[in-house]
């Protein structure tokens, strides 16, 4: 945190210093930490809050795929509700 407060961290934290540390994970290698940071950045606010709160049940619930074609949803939706659209490059005008 001191690195970020002194302006020596990443470019984003130089301009937007952290106000309060809410969650931390430790990694042996920087590439693992970077991967995890990018993973969490892609999450919804609700999922991040569940992580901060340590609510593993809520985190698991929010992680469930809601895409109707996902294997975990097989049998939940009738086949008539699923429409598959196939497009080729030629279908898209650039």
């Amino acid at each position: 945190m001191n690195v970020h407060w002194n302006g020596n961290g990443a470019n984003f934290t130089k301009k937007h210093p952290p106000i309060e540390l809410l969650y931390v994970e430790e990694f042996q290698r920087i590439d693992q930490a970077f991967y995890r940071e990018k993973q969490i950045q892609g999450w919804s606010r609700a999922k991040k809050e569940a992580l901060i709160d340590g609510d593993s049940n809520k985190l698991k619930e929010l992680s469930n795929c809601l895409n109707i074609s996902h294997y975990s949803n097989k049998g939940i939706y009738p086949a008539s509700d699923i429409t598959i659209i196939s497009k080729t490059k030629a279908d898209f005008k650039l």
Side-chain angles (χ1 to χ4, degrees):
M1 287 297 285
N2 288 335
V3 171
H4 291 301
W5 279 109
N6 294 331
N8 297 325
N11 287 330
F12 179 82
T13 54
K14 287 179 187 176
K15 296 175 187 167
H16 309 279
I19 296 170
E20 182 181 0
L21 180 62
L22 298 176
Y23 180 80
V24 66
E25 288 183 38
E26 292 186 27
F27 296 89
Q28 295 296 318
R29 297 183 6 211
I30 190 74
D31 62 320
Q32 294 170 331
F34 183 77
Y35 174 81
R36 180 65 168 159
E37 180 180 7
K38 293 301 172 190
Q39 180 185 38
I40 293 171
Q41 284 175 353
W43 289 1
S44 68
R45 181 181 183 96
K47 195 170 173 182
K48 291 175 189 176
E49 288 174 351
L51 179 67
I52 291 166
D53 294 339
D55 188 345
S56 58
N57 291 331
K58 183 73 171 174
L59 189 59
K60 185 175 180 182
E61 176 188 321
L62 293 167
S63 297
N64 289 335
C65 183
L66 301 177
N67 186 327
I68 63 172
S69 64
H70 192 266
Y71 79 93
S72 67
N73 296 323
K74 214 162 192 71
I76 295 174
Y77 300 98
S80 60
D81 287 354
I82 300 174
T83 304
I84 298 175
I85 300 171
S86 178
K87 293 201 177 235
T88 63
K89 264 187 167 179
D91 295 329
F92 295 97
K93 294 188 179 166
L94 302 175

Coordinates of all heavy atoms in Angstrom, one line a residue:
M1 N 0.8 -1.2 0.0 CA 0.0 0.0 0.0 C 0.9 1.2 0.0 O 0.5 2.2 -0.7 CB -0.9 0.0 1.2 CG -2.1 -1.0 1.1 SD -3.2 -0.7 -0.2 CE -4.1 0.7 0.5
N2 N 2.0 1.2 0.7 CA 2.8 2.4 0.8 C 3.4 2.7 -0.6 O 3.5 3.9 -0.9 CB 4.0 2.2 1.8 CG 3.5 2.2 3.2 OD1 2.5 2.8 3.5 ND2 4.3 1.6 4.1
V3 N 3.7 1.7 -1.4 CA 4.1 2.0 -2.8 C 3.1 2.8 -3.5 O 3.4 3.7 -4.2 CB 4.5 0.6 -3.5 CG1 4.8 0.8 -4.9 CG2 5.6 -0.1 -2.8
H4 N 1.8 2.4 -3.4 CA 0.8 3.1 -4.1 C 0.6 4.5 -3.6 O 0.4 5.4 -4.3 CB -0.5 2.3 -4.0 CG -0.5 1.0 -4.8 ND1 -0.3 1.0 -6.2 CD2 -0.7 -0.3 -4.4 CE1 -0.3 -0.3 -6.6 NE2 -0.6 -1.1 -5.6
W5 N 0.6 4.6 -2.3 CA 0.4 5.9 -1.7 C 1.5 6.9 -2.0 O 1.3 8.1 -2.2 CB 0.3 5.9 -0.1 CG -1.0 5.5 0.3 CD1 -1.4 4.3 0.9 CD2 -2.2 6.2 0.2 NE1 -2.8 4.2 1.1 CE2 -3.3 5.4 0.7 CE3 -2.5 7.5 -0.2 CZ2 -4.6 5.9 0.8 CZ3 -3.8 7.9 -0.2 CH2 -4.9 7.1 0.4
N6 N 2.8 6.4 -2.2 CA 3.9 7.2 -2.6 C 3.9 7.5 -4.1 O 4.8 8.2 -4.6 CB 5.2 6.6 -2.2 CG 5.3 6.5 -0.7 OD1 4.8 7.3 0.0 ND2 6.0 5.5 -0.2
G7 N 3.0 7.0 -4.9 CA 2.9 7.2 -6.3 C 3.9 6.4 -7.1 O 4.2 6.7 -8.3
N8 N 4.4 5.3 -6.5 CA 5.4 4.5 -7.2 C 4.8 3.2 -7.8 O 5.5 2.4 -8.3 CB 6.5 4.1 -6.3 CG 7.3 5.3 -5.8 OD1 7.5 6.2 -6.6 ND2 7.7 5.3 -4.6
G9 N 3.5 3.0 -7.7 CA 2.8 1.8 -8.1 C 2.4 1.9 -9.6 O 3.0 2.6 -10.4
A10 N 1.4 1.2 -9.9 CA 0.8 1.2 -11.3 C 0.3 2.6 -11.6 O 0.0 3.4 -10.8 CB -0.3 0.2 -11.4
N11 N 0.2 2.9 -12.9 CA -0.3 4.2 -13.4 C -1.6 4.5 -12.9 O -1.9 5.7 -12.5 CB -0.3 4.2 -14.9 CG 1.1 4.3 -15.5 OD1 2.0 4.8 -14.9 ND2 1.3 3.7 -16.7
F12 N -2.5 3.6 -12.8 CA -3.9 3.9 -12.3 C -3.9 4.3 -10.9 O -4.5 5.3 -10.5 CB -4.8 2.6 -12.4 CG -6.2 2.9 -11.9 CD1 -7.1 3.5 -12.8 CD2 -6.5 2.5 -10.7 CE1 -8.4 3.7 -12.3 CE2 -7.8 2.8 -10.2 CZ -8.8 3.4 -11.0
T13 N -3.1 3.7 -10.0 CA -3.1 4.0 -8.6 C -2.3 5.3 -8.4 O -2.4 5.9 -7.3 CB -2.6 2.9 -7.7 OG1 -1.3 2.5 -8.2 CG2 -3.5 1.8 -7.7
K14 N -1.4 5.7 -9.3 CA -0.8 7.0 -9.2 C -1.8 8.1 -9.3 O -1.7 9.1 -8.6 CB 0.3 7.2 -10.3 CG 1.5 6.4 -10.1 CD 2.5 6.6 -11.3 CE 3.6 5.6 -11.2 NZ 4.5 5.8 -12.4
K15 N -2.8 8.0 -10.2 CA -3.8 9.0 -10.3 C -5.0 8.8 -9.4 O -5.7 9.8 -9.1 CB -4.3 8.9 -11.8 CG -3.3 9.3 -12.8 CD -3.8 9.1 -14.2 CE -2.6 9.3 -15.2 NZ -3.0 8.8 -16.5
H16 N -5.2 7.6 -9.0 CA -6.4 7.2 -8.1 C -5.9 6.4 -6.9 O -6.0 5.2 -6.9 CB -7.4 6.4 -8.9 CG -7.8 7.0 -10.2 ND1 -8.7 8.0 -10.2 CD2 -7.4 6.8 -11.4 CE1 -8.9 8.4 -11.5 NE2 -8.1 7.6 -12.3
P17 N -5.3 7.1 -5.9 CA -4.8 6.3 -4.8 C -5.9 5.5 -4.0 O -7.0 6.0 -4.0 CB -4.1 7.4 -3.9 CG -4.7 8.6 -4.3 CD -5.2 8.5 -5.7
P18 N -5.5 4.4 -3.5 CA -6.5 3.6 -2.8 C -6.9 4.3 -1.5 O -6.1 5.0 -0.9 CB -5.8 2.3 -2.5 CG -4.3 2.6 -2.7 CD -4.2 3.7 -3.6
I19 N -8.2 4.2 -1.1 CA -8.6 4.9 0.1 C -8.6 3.9 1.2 O -8.2 4.2 2.3 CB -10.1 5.4 -0.2 CG1 -10.0 6.4 -1.3 CG2 -10.7 5.9 1.1 CD1 -11.3 6.9 -1.8
E20 N -9.0 2.7 1.0 CA -9.1 1.7 2.1 C -8.9 0.3 1.5 O -9.5 0.0 0.4 CB -10.5 1.7 2.7 CG -10.7 0.8 3.9 CD -12.1 0.9 4.5 OE1 -12.9 1.7 4.0 OE2 -12.3 0.2 5.4
L21 N -8.1 -0.5 2.1 CA -7.8 -1.9 1.6 C -9.0 -2.8 2.1 O -9.2 -2.9 3.3 CB -6.5 -2.4 2.2 CG -6.1 -3.8 1.8 CD1 -6.0 -3.9 0.3 CD2 -4.8 -4.2 2.5
L22 N -9.7 -3.4 1.2 CA -10.8 -4.2 1.5 C -10.6 -5.7 1.4 O -11.2 -6.5 2.1 CB -12.0 -3.8 0.7 CG -12.6 -2.4 0.8 CD1 -13.7 -2.2 -0.2 CD2 -13.0 -2.1 2.2
Y23 N -9.6 -6.1 0.5 CA -9.4 -7.5 0.3 C -8.0 -7.6 -0.2 O -7.4 -6.8 -1.0 CB -10.4 -8.0 -0.8 CG -10.2 -9.4 -1.2 CD1 -10.7 -10.4 -0.3 CD2 -9.5 -9.8 -2.3 CE1 -10.5 -11.8 -0.6 CE2 -9.3 -11.1 -2.6 CZ -9.8 -12.1 -1.8 OH -9.6 -13.4 -2.1
V24 N -7.3 -8.7 0.2 CA -6.0 -8.9 -0.3 C -5.7 -10.4 -0.5 O -6.3 -11.3 0.2 CB -4.9 -8.4 0.7 CG1 -5.0 -9.1 2.0 CG2 -3.5 -8.4 0.1
E25 N -4.9 -10.8 -1.5 CA -4.5 -12.1 -1.7 C -3.0 -12.0 -2.0 O -2.5 -11.1 -2.5 CB -5.1 -12.7 -3.0 CG -6.6 -13.1 -2.8 CD -7.2 -13.8 -4.0 OE1 -6.5 -14.6 -4.7 OE2 -8.3 -13.5 -4.4
E26 N -2.3 -13.1 -1.6 CA -0.8 -13.1 -1.8 C -0.5 -14.2 -2.8 O -1.0 -15.2 -2.8 CB -0.1 -13.3 -0.5 CG -0.2 -12.2 0.5 CD 0.7 -12.4 1.7 OE1 1.7 -13.1 1.6 OE2 0.3 -11.8 2.8
F27 N 0.5 -13.8 -3.7 CA 1.0 -14.8 -4.7 C 2.5 -14.8 -4.7 O 3.1 -13.8 -4.3 CB 0.5 -14.3 -6.1 CG -1.0 -14.4 -6.2 CD1 -1.8 -13.2 -5.9 CD2 -1.7 -15.5 -6.6 CE1 -3.2 -13.3 -6.0 CE2 -3.1 -15.5 -6.8 CZ -3.8 -14.4 -6.4
Q28 N 3.0 -15.9 -5.1 CA 4.5 -16.1 -5.2 C 5.0 -15.4 -6.4 O 6.2 -14.9 -6.4 CB 4.8 -17.6 -5.2 CG 4.5 -18.4 -4.0 CD 5.3 -17.9 -2.8 OE1 6.4 -17.6 -2.9 NE2 4.6 -17.7 -1.6
R29 N 4.2 -15.4 -7.5 CA 4.7 -14.8 -8.7 C 3.8 -13.6 -9.2 O 2.6 -13.7 -9.0 CB 4.8 -15.9 -9.8 CG 5.8 -17.0 -9.5 CD 5.9 -18.0 -10.5 NE 5.2 -17.8 -11.8 CZ 4.8 -18.7 -12.5 NH1 4.9 -20.0 -12.2 NH2 4.2 -18.4 -13.7
I30 N 4.4 -12.6 -9.8 CA 3.7 -11.4 -10.2 C 2.7 -11.8 -11.3 O 1.6 -11.2 -11.4 CB 4.7 -10.3 -10.6 CG1 3.9 -9.0 -10.9 CG2 5.4 -10.7 -11.9 CD1 3.5 -8.3 -9.6
D31 N 3.0 -12.7 -12.2 CA 2.1 -13.0 -13.3 C 0.8 -13.7 -12.7 O -0.3 -13.4 -13.3 CB 2.8 -14.0 -14.3 CG 3.2 -15.3 -13.7 OD1 3.7 -15.3 -12.6 OD2 3.1 -16.3 -14.5
Q32 N 0.9 -14.4 -11.6 CA -0.3 -15.0 -11.0 C -1.1 -13.9 -10.4 O -2.4 -13.9 -10.5 CB 0.1 -16.0 -9.9 CG 0.8 -17.2 -10.5 CD 1.4 -18.1 -9.4 OE1 1.8 -17.6 -8.3 NE2 1.5 -19.4 -9.7
A33 N -0.5 -13.0 -9.8 CA -1.2 -11.8 -9.1 C -1.9 -11.0 -10.2 O -3.1 -10.6 -10.1 CB -0.3 -11.0 -8.3
F34 N -1.2 -10.8 -11.3 CA -1.8 -10.0 -12.4 C -3.0 -10.7 -13.0 O -4.0 -10.1 -13.3 CB -0.7 -9.7 -13.5 CG -1.2 -8.9 -14.6 CD1 -1.3 -7.5 -14.5 CD2 -1.5 -9.4 -15.8 CE1 -1.7 -6.7 -15.5 CE2 -1.9 -8.7 -16.9 CZ -2.0 -7.3 -16.7
Y35 N -2.9 -12.0 -13.2 CA -4.0 -12.8 -13.8 C -5.2 -12.7 -12.9 O -6.3 -12.5 -13.3 CB -3.6 -14.2 -14.0 CG -4.7 -15.1 -14.4 CD1 -5.1 -15.1 -15.7 CD2 -5.4 -15.9 -13.5 CE1 -6.2 -15.9 -16.1 CE2 -6.5 -16.7 -13.9 CZ -6.9 -16.7 -15.2 OH -7.9 -17.5 -15.6
R36 N -5.0 -12.8 -11.6 CA -6.1 -12.8 -10.6 C -6.7 -11.4 -10.6 O -7.9 -11.3 -10.5 CB -5.6 -13.2 -9.2 CG -6.6 -13.2 -8.1 CD -7.7 -14.2 -8.4 NE -8.5 -14.3 -7.2 CZ -9.7 -14.8 -7.2 NH1 -10.3 -15.3 -8.3 NH2 -10.4 -14.9 -6.1
E37 N -5.9 -10.4 -10.6 CA -6.4 -9.0 -10.6 C -7.3 -8.8 -11.8 O -8.4 -8.2 -11.7 CB -5.3 -8.0 -10.6 CG -5.7 -6.5 -10.6 CD -4.5 -5.6 -10.7 OE1 -3.4 -6.0 -10.8 OE2 -4.8 -4.4 -10.5
K38 N -6.9 -9.2 -13.0 CA -7.7 -9.0 -14.2 C -9.0 -9.9 -14.1 O -10.0 -9.4 -14.6 CB -6.9 -9.4 -15.5 CG -5.7 -8.5 -15.7 CD -6.2 -7.1 -15.9 CE -5.1 -6.1 -16.0 NZ -5.6 -4.7 -15.9
Q39 N -8.9 -11.0 -13.6 CA -10.1 -11.9 -13.4 C -11.1 -11.2 -12.5 O -12.3 -11.1 -12.9 CB -9.7 -13.2 -12.7 CG -10.8 -14.2 -12.5 CD -10.4 -15.4 -11.8 OE1 -9.6 -15.3 -10.9 NE2 -10.9 -16.5 -12.2
I40 N -10.7 -10.6 -11.4 CA -11.6 -10.0 -10.5 C -12.1 -8.7 -11.1 O -13.3 -8.3 -10.9 CB -10.9 -9.7 -9.1 CG1 -10.7 -11.0 -8.4 CG2 -11.8 -8.8 -8.3 CD1 -9.8 -10.9 -7.2
Q41 N -11.3 -8.0 -11.9 CA -11.8 -6.7 -12.5 C -12.9 -7.0 -13.5 O -13.8 -6.1 -13.7 CB -10.6 -6.1 -13.3 CG -9.7 -5.4 -12.4 CD -8.5 -4.8 -13.1 OE1 -8.3 -5.0 -14.3 NE2 -7.6 -4.1 -12.4
G42 N -13.0 -8.2 -14.0 CA -14.1 -8.5 -14.9 C -15.4 -8.9 -14.2 O -16.4 -9.1 -14.9
W43 N -15.4 -9.0 -12.9 CA -16.6 -9.5 -12.2 C -17.6 -8.3 -12.0 O -17.2 -7.2 -12.0 CB -16.1 -10.0 -10.8 CG -15.4 -11.3 -10.8 CD1 -15.1 -12.1 -11.9 CD2 -14.9 -12.0 -9.7 NE1 -14.4 -13.2 -11.5 CE2 -14.3 -13.2 -10.2 CE3 -14.9 -11.7 -8.3 CZ2 -13.7 -14.1 -9.3 CZ3 -14.3 -12.6 -7.5 CH2 -13.7 -13.8 -8.0
S44 N -18.8 -8.7 -11.7 CA -19.8 -7.7 -11.3 C -19.5 -7.2 -9.9 O -18.8 -7.8 -9.2 CB -21.2 -8.4 -11.3 OG -21.3 -9.3 -10.2
R45 N -20.1 -6.1 -9.6 CA -20.0 -5.4 -8.3 C -20.5 -6.4 -7.2 O -19.8 -6.5 -6.2 CB -20.7 -4.1 -8.2 CG -20.6 -3.4 -6.9 CD -21.4 -2.1 -6.9 NE -21.1 -1.5 -5.6 CZ -20.3 -0.5 -5.4 NH1 -19.5 -0.1 -6.4 NH2 -20.1 0.0 -4.2
A46 N -21.6 -7.1 -7.5 CA -22.1 -8.0 -6.5 C -21.2 -9.1 -6.2 O -21.0 -9.5 -5.0 CB -23.5 -8.6 -7.0
K47 N -20.5 -9.6 -7.2 CA -19.6 -10.7 -7.0 C -18.3 -10.3 -6.3 O -17.8 -11.0 -5.4 CB -19.2 -11.3 -8.4 CG -18.5 -12.6 -8.4 CD -18.4 -13.2 -9.8 CE -17.6 -14.5 -9.8 NZ -17.4 -15.0 -11.1
K48 N -17.9 -9.0 -6.6 CA -16.7 -8.5 -5.8 C -17.1 -8.3 -4.4 O -16.3 -8.5 -3.5 CB -16.3 -7.1 -6.4 CG -15.7 -7.3 -7.8 CD -15.4 -5.9 -8.4 CE -15.0 -6.0 -9.8 NZ -14.8 -4.7 -10.5
E49 N -18.3 -7.8 -4.1 CA -18.7 -7.6 -2.7 C -18.8 -8.9 -2.0 O -18.5 -9.0 -0.8 CB -20.1 -6.9 -2.7 CG -19.9 -5.4 -3.1 CD -21.3 -4.7 -3.2 OE1 -22.3 -5.3 -3.1 OE2 -21.2 -3.4 -3.3
A50 N -19.3 -10.0 -2.6 CA -19.3 -11.3 -2.0 C -17.9 -11.8 -1.6 O -17.7 -12.4 -0.6 CB -20.0 -12.3 -2.9
L51 N -17.0 -11.5 -2.5 CA -15.6 -11.9 -2.3 C -15.0 -11.1 -1.1 O -14.4 -11.7 -0.2 CB -14.7 -11.6 -3.5 CG -13.2 -11.9 -3.4 CD1 -13.0 -13.4 -3.3 CD2 -12.5 -11.3 -4.6
I52 N -15.3 -9.8 -1.0 CA -14.8 -9.0 0.1 C -15.4 -9.4 1.4 O -14.7 -9.5 2.4 CB -15.1 -7.5 -0.2 CG1 -14.3 -7.0 -1.3 CG2 -14.9 -6.6 1.1 CD1 -14.7 -5.6 -1.9
D53 N -16.7 -9.8 1.4 CA -17.4 -10.2 2.6 C -17.1 -11.6 3.0 O -17.5 -12.0 4.1 CB -18.9 -10.1 2.4 CG -19.4 -8.6 2.2 OD1 -18.7 -7.7 2.6 OD2 -20.5 -8.4 1.6
G54 N -16.4 -12.3 2.1 CA -16.1 -13.7 2.4 C -17.2 -14.6 2.4 O -17.3 -15.7 3.0
D55 N -18.3 -14.3 1.6 CA -19.5 -15.0 1.5 C -19.3 -16.0 0.3 O -19.7 -15.7 -0.8 CB -20.7 -14.1 1.2 CG -22.0 -14.8 1.3 OD1 -22.0 -16.0 1.2 OD2 -23.0 -14.1 1.4
S56 N -18.8 -17.2 0.6 CA -18.5 -18.2 -0.5 C -19.8 -18.7 -1.1 O -19.8 -19.0 -2.3 CB -17.6 -19.3 0.0 OG -18.3 -20.0 1.1
N57 N -20.9 -18.8 -0.3 CA -22.1 -19.3 -0.9 C -22.7 -18.3 -2.0 O -23.1 -18.7 -3.0 CB -23.2 -19.5 0.2 CG -22.8 -20.7 1.0 OD1 -22.1 -21.6 0.6 ND2 -23.2 -20.6 2.3
K58 N -22.6 -17.0 -1.6 CA -23.1 -16.0 -2.5 C -22.2 -15.9 -3.8 O -22.7 -15.8 -4.9 CB -23.2 -14.6 -1.8 CG -23.7 -13.5 -2.6 CD -25.2 -13.7 -2.8 CE -25.8 -12.4 -3.4 NZ -27.2 -12.6 -3.8
L59 N -20.9 -16.0 -3.5 CA -19.9 -16.0 -4.6 C -20.2 -17.1 -5.6 O -20.2 -16.9 -6.8 CB -18.5 -16.1 -4.1 CG -17.4 -15.8 -5.0 CD1 -17.5 -14.5 -5.7 CD2 -16.0 -16.0 -4.3
K60 N -20.4 -18.3 -5.1 CA -20.7 -19.5 -5.9 C -22.0 -19.3 -6.7 O -22.1 -19.5 -7.9 CB -20.8 -20.7 -5.1 CG -21.0 -22.0 -5.9 CD -21.0 -23.2 -5.1 CE -21.1 -24.4 -6.1 NZ -21.2 -25.7 -5.4
E61 N -23.0 -18.7 -6.0 CA -24.3 -18.5 -6.7 C -24.2 -17.5 -7.8 O -24.7 -17.6 -8.9 CB -25.3 -17.9 -5.6 CG -26.6 -17.5 -6.2 CD -27.5 -16.8 -5.1 OE1 -27.4 -17.2 -3.9 OE2 -28.2 -15.8 -5.5
L62 N -23.4 -16.4 -7.6 CA -23.2 -15.4 -8.6 C -22.3 -15.9 -9.7 O -22.3 -15.3 -10.8 CB -22.6 -14.1 -8.0 CG -23.5 -13.4 -7.0 CD1 -22.7 -12.4 -6.2 CD2 -24.6 -12.7 -7.8
S63 N -21.5 -16.9 -9.5 CA -20.6 -17.5 -10.5 C -21.3 -18.5 -11.5 O -20.8 -18.8 -12.5 CB -19.5 -18.2 -9.8 OG -18.7 -17.3 -9.1
N64 N -22.5 -18.9 -11.1 CA -23.3 -19.8 -12.0 C -23.6 -19.2 -13.3 O -24.0 -18.1 -13.4 CB -24.6 -20.3 -11.3 CG -24.3 -21.2 -10.1 OD1 -23.3 -21.9 -10.1 ND2 -25.3 -21.3 -9.2
C65 N -23.3 -19.9 -14.4 CA -23.6 -19.4 -15.7 C -25.1 -19.4 -16.0 O -25.8 -20.4 -15.7 CB -22.9 -20.4 -16.7 SG -23.1 -19.7 -18.4
L66 N -25.6 -18.3 -16.5 CA -27.0 -18.1 -16.8 C -27.3 -18.3 -18.3 O -28.4 -18.2 -18.7 CB -27.4 -16.7 -16.3 CG -27.3 -16.4 -14.8 CD1 -27.7 -15.0 -14.5 CD2 -28.0 -17.4 -14.0
N67 N -26.3 -18.6 -19.1 CA -26.4 -18.8 -20.5 C -27.3 -20.0 -20.7 O -26.9 -21.1 -20.2 CB -25.1 -18.9 -21.1 CG -25.1 -19.0 -22.6 OD1 -26.1 -19.5 -23.2 ND2 -24.1 -18.4 -23.3
I68 N -28.3 -20.0 -21.4 CA -29.2 -21.1 -21.5 C -28.6 -22.3 -22.3 O -29.0 -23.4 -22.2 CB -30.6 -20.8 -22.2 CG1 -30.4 -20.2 -23.6 CG2 -31.3 -19.8 -21.3 CD1 -31.7 -20.0 -24.3
S69 N -27.5 -22.0 -23.0 CA -26.9 -23.1 -23.7 C -25.8 -23.8 -22.9 O -25.2 -24.7 -23.4 CB -26.3 -22.6 -25.1 OG -25.3 -21.7 -24.9
H70 N -25.5 -23.2 -21.7 CA -24.5 -23.8 -20.9 C -24.9 -25.2 -20.4 O -26.0 -25.5 -20.1 CB -24.3 -22.9 -19.6 CG -23.0 -23.2 -18.9 ND1 -23.1 -24.1 -17.8 CD2 -21.8 -22.8 -19.0 CE1 -21.9 -24.2 -17.3 NE2 -21.0 -23.4 -18.0
Y71 N -23.9 -26.1 -20.3 CA -24.2 -27.5 -19.9 C -24.9 -27.6 -18.6 O -25.7 -28.5 -18.5 CB -22.9 -28.3 -19.9 CG -22.1 -28.1 -18.7 CD1 -22.2 -29.0 -17.6 CD2 -21.1 -27.1 -18.6 CE1 -21.5 -28.8 -16.4 CE2 -20.4 -26.9 -17.4 CZ -20.6 -27.8 -16.4 OH -19.8 -27.6 -15.2
S72 N -24.7 -26.7 -17.7 CA -25.3 -26.9 -16.4 C -26.8 -26.5 -16.4 O -27.6 -26.9 -15.5 CB -24.6 -26.0 -15.3 OG -24.8 -24.6 -15.7
N73 N -27.2 -25.9 -17.5 CA -28.7 -25.6 -17.7 C -29.4 -26.5 -18.6 O -30.5 -26.3 -18.9 CB -28.8 -24.1 -18.2 CG -28.2 -23.1 -17.2 OD1 -28.4 -23.3 -16.0 ND2 -27.6 -22.1 -17.7
K74 N -28.7 -27.6 -19.0 CA -29.3 -28.6 -19.8 C -30.6 -29.2 -19.2 O -30.5 -29.6 -18.0 CB -28.3 -29.7 -20.2 CG -28.5 -30.3 -21.5 CD -27.2 -31.0 -21.9 CE -27.1 -31.3 -23.4 NZ -26.9 -30.3 -24.3
G75 N -31.7 -29.2 -19.9 CA -32.9 -29.8 -19.4 C -33.8 -28.8 -18.7 O -34.9 -29.1 -18.4
I76 N -33.2 -27.6 -18.3 CA -34.0 -26.6 -17.7 C -34.9 -25.9 -18.6 O -36.1 -25.6 -18.4 CB -33.1 -25.6 -16.9 CG1 -32.4 -26.3 -15.8 CG2 -33.9 -24.4 -16.4 CD1 -31.3 -25.5 -15.1
Y77 N -34.4 -25.6 -19.8 CA -35.1 -24.8 -20.8 C -35.6 -25.8 -21.9 O -34.8 -26.6 -22.4 CB -34.2 -23.8 -21.5 CG -33.7 -22.8 -20.5 CD1 -32.4 -22.9 -19.9 CD2 -34.5 -21.7 -20.0 CE1 -32.0 -22.0 -19.0 CE2 -34.1 -20.8 -19.1 CZ -32.8 -20.9 -18.6 OH -32.3 -20.0 -17.7
P78 N -36.8 -25.7 -22.4 CA -37.3 -26.5 -23.5 C -36.6 -26.1 -24.8 O -36.2 -24.9 -24.9 CB -38.8 -26.2 -23.6 CG -39.1 -25.0 -22.7 CD -37.9 -24.8 -21.8
A79 N -36.4 -27.1 -25.6 CA -35.6 -26.8 -26.9 C -36.2 -25.7 -27.7 O -35.5 -25.0 -28.4 CB -35.6 -28.1 -27.7
S80 N -37.5 -25.5 -27.6 CA -38.2 -24.4 -28.4 C -37.8 -23.0 -27.9 O -37.9 -22.1 -28.6 CB -39.7 -24.5 -28.3 OG -40.1 -24.4 -26.9
D81 N -37.2 -22.9 -26.7 CA -36.7 -21.6 -26.2 C -35.3 -21.2 -26.7 O -34.9 -20.1 -26.5 CB -36.7 -21.6 -24.7 CG -38.1 -21.5 -24.1 OD1 -39.1 -21.4 -24.9 OD2 -38.2 -21.7 -22.9
I82 N -34.7 -22.2 -27.3 CA -33.3 -22.0 -27.7 C -33.2 -21.8 -29.2 O -33.7 -22.6 -30.0 CB -32.4 -23.2 -27.3 CG1 -32.4 -23.3 -25.8 CG2 -31.0 -23.0 -27.8 CD1 -31.7 -24.6 -25.3
T83 N -32.7 -20.6 -29.6 CA -32.5 -20.3 -31.0 C -31.0 -20.2 -31.3 O -30.3 -19.4 -30.6 CB -33.2 -19.0 -31.4 OG1 -34.5 -19.1 -31.1 CG2 -33.0 -18.7 -32.9
I84 N -30.4 -20.9 -32.2 CA -29.0 -20.8 -32.5 C -28.9 -20.1 -33.8 O -29.5 -20.5 -34.8 CB -28.4 -22.2 -32.5 CG1 -28.5 -22.9 -31.2 CG2 -26.9 -22.1 -33.0 CD1 -28.0 -24.3 -31.1
I85 N -28.1 -19.1 -33.8 CA -27.9 -18.3 -35.0 C -26.4 -18.5 -35.4 O -25.5 -18.3 -34.6 CB -28.1 -16.8 -34.8 CG1 -29.6 -16.6 -34.3 CG2 -27.8 -16.0 -36.0 CD1 -29.9 -15.2 -33.9
S86 N -26.2 -18.8 -36.6 CA -24.9 -19.0 -37.1 C -24.6 -18.0 -38.2 O -25.4 -17.7 -39.1 CB -24.7 -20.4 -37.8 OG -23.4 -20.6 -38.3
K87 N -23.5 -17.3 -38.0 CA -23.1 -16.2 -39.0 C -21.7 -16.5 -39.5 O -20.8 -17.0 -38.7 CB -23.2 -14.9 -38.3 CG -24.6 -14.5 -38.0 CD -24.7 -13.0 -37.8 CE -26.2 -12.7 -37.5 NZ -26.7 -11.7 -38.4
T88 N -21.4 -16.1 -40.6 CA -20.1 -16.1 -41.2 C -19.5 -14.7 -41.3 O -20.2 -13.7 -41.1 CB -20.1 -16.7 -42.6 OG1 -20.8 -15.9 -43.5 CG2 -20.7 -18.1 -42.6
K89 N -18.2 -14.6 -41.6 CA -17.6 -13.3 -41.7 C -18.4 -12.4 -42.8 O -18.5 -11.2 -42.6 CB -16.2 -13.4 -42.1 CG -15.2 -13.4 -41.0 CD -13.8 -13.3 -41.6 CE -12.8 -13.0 -40.6 NZ -11.4 -13.0 -41.1
A90 N -18.9 -13.1 -43.8 CA -19.5 -12.3 -44.9 C -20.8 -11.7 -44.4 O -21.3 -10.7 -45.0 CB -19.8 -13.3 -46.0
D91 N -21.4 -12.2 -43.3 CA -22.6 -11.6 -42.8 C -22.4 -10.3 -42.1 O -23.3 -9.5 -41.8 CB -23.3 -12.6 -41.8 CG -23.8 -13.9 -42.5 OD1 -24.1 -13.8 -43.7 OD2 -23.7 -14.9 -41.9
F92 N -21.2 -10.0 -41.7 CA -20.9 -8.8 -41.0 C -20.3 -7.7 -42.0 O -19.3 -8.0 -42.7 CB -19.9 -9.0 -39.9 CG -20.4 -9.9 -38.8 CD1 -20.2 -11.3 -38.8 CD2 -21.2 -9.4 -37.8 CE1 -20.7 -12.1 -37.9 CE2 -21.8 -10.2 -36.8 CZ -21.5 -11.6 -36.9
K93 N -20.8 -6.5 -42.0 CA -20.3 -5.5 -42.8 C -19.3 -4.7 -42.0 O -19.7 -4.2 -40.9 CB -21.4 -4.6 -43.3 CG -22.3 -5.4 -44.3 CD -23.3 -4.5 -44.9 CE -24.1 -5.4 -45.8 NZ -25.1 -5.3 -46.4
L94 N -18.1 -4.6 -42.5 CA -17.1 -3.8 -41.7 C -16.9 -2.4 -42.3 O -17.0 -2.1 -43.4 CB -15.7 -4.6 -41.7 CG -15.8 -6.0 -41.2 CD1 -14.5 -6.7 -41.3 CD2 -16.2 -5.9 -39.7

